Amino acid sequence: QVQLVESGGGLVQPGGSLSLSCAASGSIFTIVDMGWYRQAPGKERELVATKNSGGATKYVDSVKGRFAISRDNAKNTVYLQMNSLEPEDTAIYYCYARLYTDYTTWGDYWGQGTQVTVSS
């Protein structure tokens, strides 16, 4: 059993900052990729940022230069620092992890989601 528990999020004014964190726990052998997706009302879920075990990162174009993803591999935790937030960043943010539970068994896991609202 694997769980992803998110924290952070909330309400912030445009131009403000927020940070999210997500800790994975349970039967984890190794985490291959970890990061964040988001889903705004009426839109499909989209990748925000991910960081793999080799350190390579991916960002959606709309957040480049404003958001920064980091990982603490020892703690199986991923962070998302969000700066210069815009109303368009309003969404439910979901933590994501692709991980192995043993040498051969892998799967994609999701957190429960945390609301980020950017509004004046």
Side-chain angles (χ1 to χ4, degrees), residues 43-64:
K43 295 188 177 181
E44 293 187 353
R45 189 175 296 191
E46 67 171 354
L47 180 149
V48 177
T50 61
K51 187 170 186 177
N52 67 20
S53 56
T57 57
K58 292 182 181 179
Y59 292 93
V60 65
D61 286 347
S62 62
V63 308
K64 288 179 180 177

Side-chain angles (χ1 to χ4, degrees), residues 27-30 99-106:
S27 301
I28 299 170
F29 179 63
T30 188
L99 59 87
Y100 281 80
T101 54
D102 57 38
Y103 279 102
T104 60
T105 306
W106 66 273

